[in-house]
Amino acid sequence: DAGVIQSPRHEVTEMGQEVTLRCKPISGHNSLFWYRQTMMRGLELLIYFNNNVPIDDSGMPEDRFSAKMPNASFSTLKIQPSEPRDSAVYFCASRQGAFNQPQHFGDGTRLSIL
Amino acid sequence: DAKTTQPTSMDCAEGRAANLPCNHSTISGNEYVYWYRQIHSQGPQYIIHGLKNNETNEMASLIITEDRKSSTLILPHATLRDTAVYYCIVRASGNAGNMLTFGGGTRLMVKP
């Protein structure tokens, strides 16, 4: 079975540009999570969706960040405008069913803002 | 979520069992124990989880003490590809359990 698929794997762009990260969850999973990982702060939950509806976005750093899930098989995380401090690895994870079920992660997008 | 304590690093000989301990002495009754690992430049990989009974799957076994204050992840026959950072996470059920909090983990080095 295909796991969580993220694209692009690497993104390098200049400050001020719009960045869009993409995620395809595992088929049949009904929850989707966006995380950010840095050396300083570790893994942080940004937002999660349940049945395509955003449930908790309290981890989104500021209004420059937005996330959408137009259908069960696709989600985007957008940063506009991007800043150097947004440089990190962004992971998407999905989960099937109840809260005690495990989250399964993609291989992430390594984002560098110059 | 309860705090976990793991050794910073461990070595294991290839082909031998790797036993990774985790202390979670403040765990509460509705909190599950999860194990993930992260290999450099990859996303965290789910290994196994349990509440109070021992669990086994194709990757590993999870042994939880009767008082639930500690657990051990066992990789029965470690290979070089098992070299990774292993994270023990204690997480509540319900809405509070949606965020996975990864601590420092144990860096396992499997040696030939």
Side-chain angles (χ1 to χ4, degrees):
Chain A
D1 287 340
V4 175
I5 299 172
Q6 293 187 244
S7 64
R9 286 297 311 275
H10 304 274
E11 175 89 16
V12 180
T13 192
E14 293 187 344
M15 184 175 72
Q17 297 297 307
E18 178 179 291
V19 173
T20 300
L21 311 180
R22 297 172 176 78
C23 175
K24 177 178 169 54
I26 295 172
S27 178
H29 284 199
N30 60 336
S31 295
L32 182 140
F33 306 80
W34 282 102
Y35 287 85
R36 177 172 68 176
Q37 186 175 40
T38 61
M39 289 292 291
M40 291 295 293
R41 300 171 69 93
L43 201 67
E44 303 172 279
L45 178 65
L46 301 177
I47 186 171
Y48 92 92
F49 295 82
N50 192 47
N51 294 323
N52 313 337
V53 176
I55 302 300
D56 183 356
D57 65 355
S58 58
M60 295 285 263
E62 48 200 273
D63 292 345
R64 298 185 296 107
F65 285 68
S66 62
K68 294 182 180 180
M69 191 165 185
N71 57 62
S73 59
F74 184 65
S75 176
T76 60
L77 178 67
K78 187 174 293 187
I79 308 172
Q80 167 64 19
S82 57
E83 297 182 4
R85 60 191 168 123
D86 302 329
S87 297
V89 182
Y90 290 80
F91 289 106
C92 176
S94 69
R95 180 183 70 199
Q96 180 181 42
F99 293 107
N100 63 310
Q101 294 304 305
Q103 297 176 23
H104 296 272
F105 287 76
D107 280 336
T109 295
R110 185 171 297 275
L111 177 64
S112 297
I113 309 296
L114 306 177
Chain B
D1 291 344
K3 179 179 168 59
T4 62
T5 305
Q6 299 178 252
T8 304
S9 64
M10 292 180 64
D11 289 345
C12 177
E14 188 180 18
R16 303 298 292 267
N19 297 286
L20 292 91
C22 180
N23 184 289
H24 32 79
S25 57
T26 60
I27 193 170
S28 59
N30 67 342
E31 290 182 313
Y32 287 76
V33 180
Y34 295 80
W35 283 84
Y36 282 77
R37 71 182 182 184
Q38 192 167 20
I39 297 168
H40 181 63
S41 81
Q42 296 182 18
Q45 180 187 21
Y46 165 75
I47 301 173
I48 199 167
H49 77 287
L51 184 61
K52 54 183 179 180
N53 296 323
N54 297 338
E55 302 287 345
T56 296
N57 63 21
E58 65 278 5
M59 288 182 69
S61 295
L62 173 60
I63 308 298
I64 303 174
T65 58
E66 192 169 343
D67 63 7
R68 302 209 322 123
K69 292 182 184 298
S70 66
S71 61
T72 301
L73 178 75
I74 301 173
L75 307 178
H77 305 287
T79 70
L80 299 179
R81 287 180 294 180
D82 292 322
T83 293
V85 180
Y86 287 76
Y87 297 96
C88 169
I89 299 163
V90 172
R91 182 160 71 98
S93 60
N95 270 328
N98 281 304
M99 185 170 83
L100 292 175
T101 303
F102 286 68
T106 296
R107 186 171 296 276
L108 176 68
M109 180 73 72
V110 180
K111 298 184 175 181

PDB file of all heavy atoms in Angstrom, chain A residues 3-24:
ATOM      1  N   GLY A   3       2.084   4.794   1.099  1.00  0.00           N
ATOM      2  CA  GLY A   3       1.992   5.541   2.340  1.00  0.00           C
ATOM      3  C   GLY A   3       1.545   6.953   2.069  1.00  0.00           C
ATOM      4  O   GLY A   3       0.993   7.263   1.007  1.00  0.00           O
ATOM      5  N   VAL A   4       1.778   7.827   3.031  1.00  0.00           N
ATOM      6  CA  VAL A   4       1.480   9.244   2.860  1.00  0.00           C
ATOM      7  C   VAL A   4       2.492   9.827   1.870  1.00  0.00           C
ATOM      8  O   VAL A   4       3.695   9.617   2.015  1.00  0.00           O
ATOM      9  CB  VAL A   4       1.571   9.983   4.204  1.00  0.00           C
ATOM     10  CG1 VAL A   4       1.383  11.481   4.007  1.00  0.00           C
ATOM     11  CG2 VAL A   4       0.532   9.429   5.182  1.00  0.00           C
ATOM     12  N   ILE A   5       1.996  10.533   0.886  1.00  0.00           N
ATOM     13  CA  ILE A   5       2.867  11.070  -0.155  1.00  0.00           C
ATOM     14  C   ILE A   5       2.909  12.587  -0.064  1.00  0.00           C
ATOM     15  O   ILE A   5       1.855  13.242  -0.087  1.00  0.00           O
ATOM     16  CB  ILE A   5       2.378  10.639  -1.558  1.00  0.00           C
ATOM     17  CG1 ILE A   5       2.409   9.106  -1.653  1.00  0.00           C
ATOM     18  CG2 ILE A   5       3.256  11.256  -2.655  1.00  0.00           C
ATOM     19  CD1 ILE A   5       1.779   8.560  -2.911  1.00  0.00           C
ATOM     20  N   GLN A   6       4.105  13.121   0.043  1.00  0.00           N
ATOM     21  CA  GLN A   6       4.270  14.572   0.130  1.00  0.00           C
ATOM     22  C   GLN A   6       5.089  15.073  -1.057  1.00  0.00           C
ATOM     23  O   GLN A   6       5.998  14.388  -1.537  1.00  0.00           O
ATOM     24  CB  GLN A   6       4.992  14.961   1.425  1.00  0.00           C
ATOM     25  CG  GLN A   6       4.178  14.693   2.669  1.00  0.00           C
ATOM     26  CD  GLN A   6       4.862  15.259   3.900  1.00  0.00           C
ATOM     27  OE1 GLN A   6       5.262  14.510   4.789  1.00  0.00           O
ATOM     28  NE2 GLN A   6       4.971  16.589   3.965  1.00  0.00           N
ATOM     29  N   SER A   7       4.765  16.279  -1.480  1.00  0.00           N
ATOM     30  CA  SER A   7       5.555  16.911  -2.540  1.00  0.00           C
ATOM     31  C   SER A   7       5.591  18.418  -2.329  1.00  0.00           C
ATOM     32  O   SER A   7       4.655  18.983  -1.745  1.00  0.00           O
ATOM     33  CB  SER A   7       4.951  16.593  -3.926  1.00  0.00           C
ATOM     34  OG  SER A   7       3.653  17.145  -4.041  1.00  0.00           O
ATOM     35  N   PRO A   8       6.658  19.077  -2.752  1.00  0.00           N
ATOM     36  CA  PRO A   8       7.901  18.457  -3.212  1.00  0.00           C
ATOM     37  C   PRO A   8       8.696  17.900  -2.032  1.00  0.00           C
ATOM     38  O   PRO A   8       8.360  18.149  -0.883  1.00  0.00           O
ATOM     39  CB  PRO A   8       8.637  19.648  -3.852  1.00  0.00           C
ATOM     40  CG  PRO A   8       8.188  20.823  -3.041  1.00  0.00           C
ATOM     41  CD  PRO A   8       6.743  20.552  -2.690  1.00  0.00           C
ATOM     42  N   ARG A   9       9.752  17.158  -2.281  1.00  0.00           N
ATOM     43  CA  ARG A   9      10.597  16.667  -1.198  1.00  0.00           C
ATOM     44  C   ARG A   9      11.512  17.775  -0.693  1.00  0.00           C
ATOM     45  O   ARG A   9      11.857  17.820   0.497  1.00  0.00           O
ATOM     46  CB  ARG A   9      11.447  15.480  -1.654  1.00  0.00           C
ATOM     47  CG  ARG A   9      10.687  14.184  -1.822  1.00  0.00           C
ATOM     48  CD  ARG A   9      10.086  13.680  -0.493  1.00  0.00           C
ATOM     49  NE  ARG A   9      11.014  13.664   0.620  1.00  0.00           N
ATOM     50  CZ  ARG A   9      11.862  12.670   0.888  1.00  0.00           C
ATOM     51  NH1 ARG A   9      11.918  11.621   0.102  1.00  0.00           N
ATOM     52  NH2 ARG A   9      12.649  12.735   1.953  1.00  0.00           N
ATOM     53  N   HIS A  10      11.917  18.631  -1.596  1.00  0.00           N
ATOM     54  CA  HIS A  10      12.790  19.756  -1.238  1.00  0.00           C
ATOM     55  C   HIS A  10      12.278  21.007  -1.934  1.00  0.00           C
ATOM     56  O   HIS A  10      11.815  20.942  -3.073  1.00  0.00           O
ATOM     57  CB  HIS A  10      14.240  19.497  -1.672  1.00  0.00           C
ATOM     58  CG  HIS A  10      14.823  18.245  -1.122  1.00  0.00           C
ATOM     59  ND1 HIS A  10      15.414  18.181   0.110  1.00  0.00           N
ATOM     60  CD2 HIS A  10      14.886  16.989  -1.634  1.00  0.00           C
ATOM     61  CE1 HIS A  10      15.834  16.939   0.335  1.00  0.00           C
ATOM     62  NE2 HIS A  10      15.526  16.205  -0.694  1.00  0.00           N
ATOM     63  N   GLU A  11      12.354  22.135  -1.220  1.00  0.00           N
ATOM     64  CA  GLU A  11      11.954  23.409  -1.803  1.00  0.00           C
ATOM     65  C   GLU A  11      12.896  24.473  -1.304  1.00  0.00           C
ATOM     66  O   GLU A  11      13.083  24.623  -0.084  1.00  0.00           O
ATOM     67  CB  GLU A  11      10.517  23.749  -1.405  1.00  0.00           C
ATOM     68  CG  GLU A  11      10.018  25.104  -1.854  1.00  0.00           C
ATOM     69  CD  GLU A  11       9.385  25.073  -3.236  1.00  0.00           C
ATOM     70  OE1 GLU A  11       9.071  23.971  -3.710  1.00  0.00           O
ATOM     71  OE2 GLU A  11       9.205  26.145  -3.829  1.00  0.00           O
ATOM     72  N   VAL A  12      13.495  25.188  -2.240  1.00  0.00           N
ATOM     73  CA  VAL A  12      14.338  26.325  -1.881  1.00  0.00           C
ATOM     74  C   VAL A  12      13.773  27.540  -2.592  1.00  0.00           C
ATOM     75  O   VAL A  12      13.589  27.517  -3.813  1.00  0.00           O
ATOM     76  CB  VAL A  12      15.803  26.099  -2.316  1.00  0.00           C
ATOM     77  CG1 VAL A  12      16.652  27.313  -1.920  1.00  0.00           C
ATOM     78  CG2 VAL A  12      16.365  24.834  -1.696  1.00  0.00           C
ATOM     79  N   THR A  13      13.491  28.588  -1.833  1.00  0.00           N
ATOM     80  CA  THR A  13      12.899  29.770  -2.441  1.00  0.00           C
ATOM     81  C   THR A  13      13.344  31.009  -1.673  1.00  0.00           C
ATOM     82  O   THR A  13      13.893  30.909  -0.571  1.00  0.00           O
ATOM     83  CB  THR A  13      11.366  29.670  -2.470  1.00  0.00           C
ATOM     84  OG1 THR A  13      10.831  30.688  -3.305  1.00  0.00           O
ATOM     85  CG2 THR A  13      10.784  29.811  -1.073  1.00  0.00           C
ATOM     86  N   GLU A  14      13.113  32.141  -2.273  1.00  0.00           N
ATOM     87  CA  GLU A  14      13.537  33.390  -1.649  1.00  0.00           C
ATOM     88  C   GLU A  14      12.451  33.954  -0.741  1.00  0.00           C
ATOM     89  O   GLU A  14      11.249  33.747  -0.976  1.00  0.00           O
ATOM     90  CB  GLU A  14      13.901  34.414  -2.723  1.00  0.00           C
ATOM     91  CG  GLU A  14      15.152  34.021  -3.505  1.00  0.00           C
ATOM     92  CD  GLU A  14      15.604  35.109  -4.441  1.00  0.00           C
ATOM     93  OE1 GLU A  14      14.808  36.032  -4.713  1.00  0.00           O
ATOM     94  OE2 GLU A  14      16.751  35.034  -4.914  1.00  0.00           O
ATOM     95  N   MET A  15      12.885  34.652   0.242  1.00  0.00           N
ATOM     96  CA  MET A  15      11.976  35.311   1.183  1.00  0.00           C
ATOM     97  C   MET A  15      10.935  36.134   0.432  1.00  0.00           C
ATOM     98  O   MET A  15      11.260  36.816  -0.544  1.00  0.00           O
ATOM     99  CB  MET A  15      12.794  36.220   2.108  1.00  0.00           C
ATOM    100  CG  MET A  15      12.009  36.899   3.181  1.00  0.00           C
ATOM    101  SD  MET A  15      13.068  37.828   4.302  1.00  0.00           S
ATOM    102  CE  MET A  15      13.530  39.186   3.271  1.00  0.00           C
ATOM    103  N   GLY A  16       9.696  36.041   0.904  1.00  0.00           N
ATOM    104  CA  GLY A  16       8.616  36.801   0.295  1.00  0.00           C
ATOM    105  C   GLY A  16       7.806  36.016  -0.717  1.00  0.00           C
ATOM    106  O   GLY A  16       6.675  36.415  -1.052  1.00  0.00           O
ATOM    107  N   GLN A  17       8.352  34.902  -1.189  1.00  0.00           N
ATOM    108  CA  GLN A  17       7.642  34.092  -2.170  1.00  0.00           C
ATOM    109  C   GLN A  17       6.579  33.230  -1.495  1.00  0.00           C
ATOM    110  O   GLN A  17       6.658  32.906  -0.306  1.00  0.00           O
ATOM    111  CB  GLN A  17       8.622  33.189  -2.928  1.00  0.00           C
ATOM    112  CG  GLN A  17       9.657  33.944  -3.744  1.00  0.00           C
ATOM    113  CD  GLN A  17       9.010  34.762  -4.837  1.00  0.00           C
ATOM    114  OE1 GLN A  17       8.219  34.252  -5.638  1.00  0.00           O
ATOM    115  NE2 GLN A  17       9.319  36.041  -4.870  1.00  0.00           N
ATOM    116  N   GLU A  18       5.570  32.856  -2.283  1.00  0.00           N
ATOM    117  CA  GLU A  18       4.548  31.927  -1.786  1.00  0.00           C
ATOM    118  C   GLU A  18       5.051  30.496  -1.932  1.00  0.00           C
ATOM    119  O   GLU A  18       5.650  30.143  -2.946  1.00  0.00           O
ATOM    120  CB  GLU A  18       3.262  32.109  -2.591  1.00  0.00           C
ATOM    121  CG  GLU A  18       2.149  31.164  -2.187  1.00  0.00           C
ATOM    122  CD  GLU A  18       0.877  31.378  -2.996  1.00  0.00           C
ATOM    123  OE1 GLU A  18       0.237  32.429  -2.820  1.00  0.00           O
ATOM    124  OE2 GLU A  18       0.537  30.487  -3.800  1.00  0.00           O
ATOM    125  N   VAL A  19       4.793  29.714  -0.906  1.00  0.00           N
ATOM    126  CA  VAL A  19       5.200  28.311  -0.911  1.00  0.00           C
ATOM    127  C   VAL A  19       3.961  27.451  -0.689  1.00  0.00           C
ATOM    128  O   VAL A  19       3.162  27.742   0.202  1.00  0.00           O
ATOM    129  CB  VAL A  19       6.217  28.034   0.222  1.00  0.00           C
ATOM    130  CG1 VAL A  19       6.517  26.555   0.320  1.00  0.00           C
ATOM    131  CG2 VAL A  19       7.503  28.826  -0.001  1.00  0.00           C
ATOM    132  N   THR A  20       3.807  26.412  -1.479  1.00  0.00           N
ATOM    133  CA  THR A  20       2.695  25.477  -1.308  1.00  0.00           C
ATOM    134  C   THR A  20       3.231  24.064  -1.174  1.00  0.00           C
ATOM    135  O   THR A  20       3.928  23.567  -2.054  1.00  0.00           O
ATOM    136  CB  THR A  20       1.718  25.543  -2.492  1.00  0.00           C
ATOM    137  OG1 THR A  20       1.181  26.868  -2.591  1.00  0.00           O
ATOM    138  CG2 THR A  20       0.565  24.568  -2.272  1.00  0.00           C
ATOM    139  N   LEU A  21       2.894  23.447  -0.058  1.00  0.00           N
ATOM    140  CA  LEU A  21       3.276  22.061   0.201  1.00  0.00           C
ATOM    141  C   LEU A  21       2.047  21.188   0.036  1.00  0.00           C
ATOM    142  O   LEU A  21       0.946  21.576   0.433  1.00  0.00           O
ATOM    143  CB  LEU A  21       3.845  21.922   1.624  1.00  0.00           C
ATOM    144  CG  LEU A  21       4.910  22.940   2.031  1.00  0.00           C
ATOM    145  CD1 LEU A  21       5.375  22.662   3.455  1.00  0.00           C
ATOM    146  CD2 LEU A  21       6.065  22.948   1.064  1.00  0.00           C
ATOM    147  N   ARG A  22       2.262  19.983  -0.486  1.00  0.00           N
ATOM    148  CA  ARG A  22       1.137  19.119  -0.832  1.00  0.00           C
ATOM    149  C   ARG A  22       1.223  17.788  -0.113  1.00  0.00           C
ATOM    150  O   ARG A  22       2.324  17.286   0.149  1.00  0.00           O
ATOM    151  CB  ARG A  22       1.076  18.911  -2.340  1.00  0.00           C
ATOM    152  CG  ARG A  22       0.825  20.191  -3.116  1.00  0.00           C
ATOM    153  CD  ARG A  22       0.952  19.998  -4.617  1.00  0.00           C
ATOM    154  NE  ARG A  22       0.614  21.217  -5.340  1.00  0.00           N
ATOM    155  CZ  ARG A  22       1.426  22.265  -5.472  1.00  0.00           C
ATOM    156  NH1 ARG A  22       2.636  22.241  -4.955  1.00  0.00           N
ATOM    157  NH2 ARG A  22       1.024  23.332  -6.138  1.00  0.00           N
ATOM    158  N   CYS A  23       0.064  17.210   0.152  1.00  0.00           N
ATOM    159  CA  CYS A  23       0.011  15.934   0.866  1.00  0.00           C
ATOM    160  C   CYS A  23      -1.146  15.100   0.353  1.00  0.00           C
ATOM    161  O   CYS A  23      -2.269  15.587   0.223  1.00  0.00           O
ATOM    162  CB  CYS A  23      -0.143  16.174   2.367  1.00  0.00           C
ATOM    163  SG  CYS A  23      -0.365  14.643   3.324  1.00  0.00           S
ATOM    164  N   LYS A  24      -0.844  13.819   0.115  1.00  0.00           N
ATOM    165  CA  LYS A  24      -1.881  12.843  -0.208  1.00  0.00           C
ATOM    166  C   LYS A  24      -1.889  11.821   0.910  1.00  0.00           C
ATOM    167  O   LYS A  24      -0.914  11.076   1.087  1.00  0.00           O
ATOM    168  CB  LYS A  24      -1.591  12.165  -1.539  1.00  0.00           C
ATOM    169  CG  LYS A  24      -2.582  11.076  -1.928  1.00  0.00           C
ATOM    170  CD  LYS A  24      -2.229  10.498  -3.285  1.00  0.00           C
ATOM    171  CE  LYS A  24      -3.011   9.232  -3.600  1.00  0.00           C
ATOM    172  NZ  LYS A  24      -4.468   9.425  -3.479  1.00  0.00           N
TER     173      LYS A  24
END
